[in-house]
Amino acid sequence: MFVQLTKDFLGNAPGKRIDVSPEHGQLLVERGIAQALTDDPLVPLVGRAVEQLSARVSDGINSALTQFADAQSQSRRVAGPAIFGDTPGADPRRCFGDWLLHVARNDERYLEKTYGSLRTKAALA
């Protein structure tokens, strides 16, 4: 049970929200030391954490796509090792990174021409 203190209690200032057992919470409320909270104080914290995580993941994906596009713009001799490492014969113009880059750009014409299908079908192929 979450309560908000209305008076000093065990070194905690008034206004602080604490989590206590239901029995202790009832005693604090009955004695006027705290008031019961009806809202869940974790909801805003979890919401903010999810927003921050989503932003970081989005930034990471954008950064990776930018790095892939930069490597892909190099000559094939340079782009292949930059993207695939030592894998021989890998094509930087026809791979998952290329497909993902054009999905992010919403380039359906390129996806249809290069991969022979639209986004959803290309992902399953």
Side-chain angles (χ1 to χ4, degrees):
M1 167 178 202
F2 286 97
V3 295
Q4 184 169 347
L5 298 175
T6 55
K7 299 179 182 176
D8 282 332
F9 180 71
L10 299 176
N12 293 306
K16 183 171 184 178
R17 294 177 174 201
I18 57 174
D19 183 21
V20 294
S21 68
E23 299 83 25
H24 291 128
Q26 284 293 43
L27 285 173
L28 292 172
V29 170
E30 289 172 4
R31 294 189 180 164
I33 297 172
Q35 61 186 24
L37 294 175
T38 56
D39 62 329
D40 188 352
L42 296 178
V43 171
L45 295 173
V46 171
R48 266 188 306 232
V50 168
E51 285 177 20
Q52 291 172 352
L53 178 63
S54 296
R56 291 180 68 192
V57 167
S58 179
D59 290 345
I61 290 171
N62 289 336
S63 174
L65 285 175
T66 301
Q67 290 174 359
F68 179 83
D70 290 344
Q72 193 180 36
S73 70
Q74 303 295 318
S75 69
R76 187 172 177 148
R77 186 174 59 86
V78 174
I83 296 170
F84 302 108
D86 294 335
T87 305
D91 184 4
R93 301 276 181 234
R94 190 171 170 89
C95 62
F96 180 70
D98 180 64
W99 176 84
L100 190 59
L101 182 64
H102 287 87
V103 167
R105 292 178 179 166
N106 201 22
D107 190 355
E108 291 185 13
R109 180 178 290 152
Y110 177 86
L111 292 169
E112 181 71 37
K113 183 180 114 185
T114 306
Y115 297 100
S117 60
L118 296 176
R119 288 187 277 206
T120 53
K121 292 179 186 174
L124 299 174

